[in-house]
Amino acid sequence: MRVGIIGSGGREHSICHALNKSKKITQLYCFPGNAGTSKIAKNIIINLDDFDELKKIIIQNNIDLIVVGPEKPLVDGIVDFLEENNIKVFGPNKIASQLEGSKIFTKNLCKKYNIPTAKFGIFENLHDAEIFTNKAKYPLVIKADGLASGKGVFICDNTNEAKNAIKEVFDGKFGKAKNILIEEFLKGEEMSFFVITDGKTIKNFETAQDHKRVSEGDKGKNTGGMGAYSPSRLINKDLEAKILKKIILPTIHGLNEINTVYKGFLYVGLMIVNNEPYLIEYNVRMGDPECQTILPKLETDLLDIFLACCNGTLDKTEIKWQDKKSLCVVLCSKGYPENFQKNILIKDLNKLKLNKNEYCYHAGTKIDDNKIYSIGGRVLNFVSLSSDFNECRNNIHKLLELLNWKDGFFRKDIGYKVINK
Ligand code: AMP
Ligand code: GLY
């Protein structure tokens, strides 16, 4: 089979890497991919907003299946477009992708089906939102409705902060805003729960906890994710059953009621308060770097799982996992998440000798004349599997020392909550 992966990050490299193990694959393509994917797939540079061009290339190359990594093409309706053109594609359609594309869509679904989530209000103008903030309890969470690359969420400690946040949203910093979401602040511990579904059968795709802040001790600016570990320390059978029953099943049911079938990965972002799950957000894709953290544990052929989702036969596919801990550290370019330099040589990458439990996934990299350069903020993802989180992290730190990339930095404390030193 010929399979194409859409995206260019560490998530997509890890998906490519897992698919490459499948004996059924004859050729992988990546749109546009990175230096890492170029070793196992054919990278094709393309404007991902140009669905017609993509369709042309898929047909020219006889690609049998498309796997969509990031949220934007999903929210833009790439799945509907490809399916209308009889191209097999793994990922949710445009309406189902509203679970990530519109926080207000999700909140309204929660309200209708009694799904546990933070109490909220939706405000259609600056004036009403501001009046509300005058008498609200703090902290208060203010959110832009649409996709904002993780930036449209403000945790406000007082009225002033809340008013500034509301103004930024209505001023259009995250795209034209018709309304704004204001939420109660939930105090607990966050956990990410992943499932994969064909719309009928829902299968567990492991848990993880990530570190979104740039500095050690979970301080500083928000990023796409500086590292993650799997499984989450919070998961237990009782909690898992509650997440399925109270959150995921009513969501899939709610989508069915509007004639939508959810097919793909579903990333359930939760706040756990006293072993009770509250939905914070849905993402309609795998997490990055959670995907890189989780996929190395997968024993089942990933292609079989994707095909089962597309064909509606997930009930017949058993998903097997290695019983190991996994930890991922993201190597970033200095300055990330603000200004960072690009096109910096990473010269000692081929010095690294990875054993079978170690992985180095590329994110913001390019290859030029056989040399690897950084082109993004998050550059490389190092993953290690072991029976012990501390050992995972030590193994990764050894690799990072060997690489000794002077223009990069990483958080040394990834997984501190599960590592007792
Ligand atoms: P979101 O993009 O909705 O996941 O929000 C980004 C981050 O803001 C989450 O990962 C949480 O750390 C935090 N957050 C969002 N909503 C809430 C809430 N209601 N209570 C507490 N923290 C929240
Ligand atoms: N690591 C967070 C995300 O993928 O949204």
Side-chain angles (χ1 to χ4, degrees), residues 11 71 100 192 210 212 223-227 267 281 283 285-290 378:
R11 171 181 49 215
E71 61 278 14
E100 178 165 1
S192 304
D210 75 337
K212 287 208 181 73
T223 71
M226 299 295 292
Y267 167 151
E281 62 159 354
N283 295 312
R285 50 171 174 86
M286 272 307 278
D288 183 337
E290 293 92 331
R378 293 193 293 170

Side-chain angles (χ1 to χ4, degrees), residues 1-4 24-29 31 42 44 53-66 85-88:
M1 276 194 87
R2 301 158 80 84
V3 180
K24 297 174 201 94
I25 299 232
T26 52
Q27 179 68 54
L28 286 171
Y29 296 83
F31 300 96
K42 191 170 174 203
I44 298 183
E53 178 65 12
L54 179 68
K55 177 182 111 184
K56 217 169 83 193
I57 298 172
I58 293 170
I59 293 171
Q60 269 168 3
N61 290 282
N62 292 314
I63 299 178
D64 304 290
L65 170 71
I66 291 289
N85 285 284
N86 297 316
I87 295 166
K88 198 173 274 208

Side-chain angles (χ1 to χ4, degrees), residues 359-421:
Y359 300 80
C360 171
Y361 297 118
H362 287 233
T365 65
K366 71 165 186 190
I367 187 161
D368 199 356
D369 200 16
N370 237 356
K371 293 194 182 79
I372 310 279
Y373 297 86
S374 71
I375 53 164
R378 293 193 293 170
V379 179
L380 294 168
N381 309 146
F382 288 87
V383 180
S384 167
L385 260 54
S386 127
S387 57
D388 175 73
F389 280 125
N390 197 19
E391 196 179 299
C392 295
R393 195 169 73 181
N394 287 338
N395 292 341
I396 294 170
H397 288 176
K398 278 186 209 142
L399 292 171
L400 283 159
E401 265 167 42
L402 252 175
L403 180 65
N404 193 22
W405 188 45
K406 297 270 188 272
D407 297 285
F409 75 99
F410 59 95
R411 270 183 65 172
K412 296 183 186 61
D413 68 339
I414 298 301
Y416 67 85
K417 286 183 180 156
V418 286
I419 296 175
N420 305 315
K421 277 200 297 169

Side-chain angles (χ1 to χ4, degrees), residues 103 118 141 143 153 155 183-186 190 212 271 280-281:
K103 291 185 192 305
V141 187
K143 299 184 177 182
V153 175
I155 316 275
E183 277 183 21
E184 143 200 50
F185 179 82
L186 291 173
E190 279 181 72
K212 287 208 181 73
M271 189 68 85
I280 292 191
E281 62 159 354

Side-chain angles (χ1 to χ4, degrees), residues 96-381:
S97 297
Q98 286 299 294
L99 287 181
E100 178 165 1
S102 166
K103 291 185 192 305
I104 292 178
F105 173 88
T106 300
K107 281 298 211 182
N108 283 332
L109 194 95
C110 288
K111 195 166 163 188
K112 185 161 175 200
Y113 295 97
N114 225 356
I115 296 171
T117 187
K119 290 195 195 83
F120 69 99
I122 297 162
F123 297 87
E124 287 180 356
N125 61 62
L126 190 91
H127 179 73
D128 291 354
E130 282 192 351
I131 288 182
F132 176 80
T133 62
N134 286 334
K135 46 185 190 341
K137 273 202 214 134
Y138 287 84
L140 198 63
V141 187
I142 296 188
K143 299 184 177 182
D145 182 35
L147 288 186
S149 310
K151 295 196 183 77
V153 175
F154 300 81
I155 316 275
C156 305
D157 284 323
N158 52 53
T159 324
N160 256 348
E161 286 180 19
K163 286 187 174 150
N164 285 336
I166 291 168
K167 192 165 177 315
E168 281 195 22
V169 175
F170 276 119
D171 278 351
K173 192 167 173 194
F174 311 99
K176 199 169 181 309
K178 271 198 265 160
N179 37 31
I180 197 168
L181 179 63
I182 305 190
E183 277 183 21
E184 143 200 50
F185 179 82
L186 291 173
K187 205 164 173 329
E189 189 168 329
E190 279 181 72
M191 175 183 115
S192 304
F193 190 89
F194 297 90
V195 294
I196 191 163
T197 174
D198 60 3
K200 296 177 292 190
T201 304
I202 298 164
K203 296 233 161 153
N204 200 319
F205 217 77
E206 293 288 285
T207 58
Q209 282 180 255
D210 75 337
H211 294 269
K212 287 208 181 73
R213 305 293 197 93
V214 70
S215 306
E216 275 155 36
D218 293 323
K219 305 226 161 64
K221 293 234 177 251
N222 246 326
T223 71
M226 299 295 292
Y229 54 95
S230 171
S232 156
R233 67 170 183 165
L234 300 172
I235 195 67
N236 56 64
K237 284 281 159 215
D238 178 42
L239 181 61
E240 186 178 325
K242 285 182 198 160
I243 295 168
L244 265 171
K245 183 164 170 258
K246 297 186 175 185
I247 297 179
I248 300 175
L249 285 170
T251 301
I252 301 291
H253 169 74
L255 291 175
N256 286 341
E257 298 258 292
I258 50 168
N259 293 321
T260 295
V261 172
Y262 194 101
K263 167 189 52 148
F265 286 121
L266 182 61
Y267 167 151
V268 189
L270 300 160
M271 189 68 85
I272 310 300
V273 187
N274 302 325
N275 212 40
E276 284 298 325
Y278 291 83
L279 180 70
I280 292 191
E281 62 159 354
Y282 275 129
N283 295 312
V284 294
R285 50 171 174 86
M286 272 307 278
D288 183 337
E290 293 92 331
C291 190
Q292 299 90 300
T293 315
I294 288 172
L295 277 185
K297 295 200 290 183
L298 181 67
E299 285 182 339
T300 312
D301 185 324
L302 184 60
L303 178 67
D304 286 342
I305 302 175
F306 286 160
L307 288 175
C309 284
C310 293
N311 300 336
T313 55
L314 192 60
D315 56 335
K316 298 189 182 70
T317 307
E318 194 189 351
I319 304 185
K320 287 199 189 141
W321 299 97
Q322 291 190 59
D323 184 18
K324 285 206 173 118
K325 310 267 194 297
S326 177
L327 189 131
C328 171
V329 176
V330 178
L331 178 62
C332 300
S333 184
K334 276 186 187 158
Y336 175 77
E338 291 177 275
N339 294 333
F340 53 85
Q341 284 190 0
K342 290 184 184 166
N343 295 311
I344 309 173
L345 182 68
I346 311 168
K347 74 174 184 320
D348 289 330
L349 207 49
N350 46 16
K351 268 195 194 163
L352 301 183
K353 298 278 171 281
L354 304 175
N355 69 32
K356 72 173 183 19
N357 286 313
E358 291 168 346
Y359 300 80
C360 171
Y361 297 118
H362 287 233
T365 65
K366 71 165 186 190
I367 187 161
D368 199 356
D369 200 16
N370 237 356
K371 293 194 182 79
I372 310 279
Y373 297 86
S374 71
I375 53 164
R378 293 193 293 170
V379 179
L380 294 168
N381 309 146

Side-chain angles (χ1 to χ4, degrees), residues 35-87:
T37 65
S38 74
K39 305 261 177 192
I40 47 179
K42 191 170 174 203
N43 282 355
I44 298 183
I45 310 288
I46 180 177
N47 168 11
L48 285 178
D49 291 330
D50 190 346
F51 291 176
D52 281 314
E53 178 65 12
L54 179 68
K55 177 182 111 184
K56 217 169 83 193
I57 298 172
I58 293 170
I59 293 171
Q60 269 168 3
N61 290 282
N62 292 314
I63 299 178
D64 304 290
L65 170 71
I66 291 289
V67 177
V68 189
E71 61 278 14
K72 179 156 186 308
L74 294 168
V75 172
D76 289 346
I78 198 165
V79 168
D80 312 59
F81 173 83
L82 293 177
E83 284 179 345
E84 278 158 23
N85 285 284
N86 297 316
I87 295 166

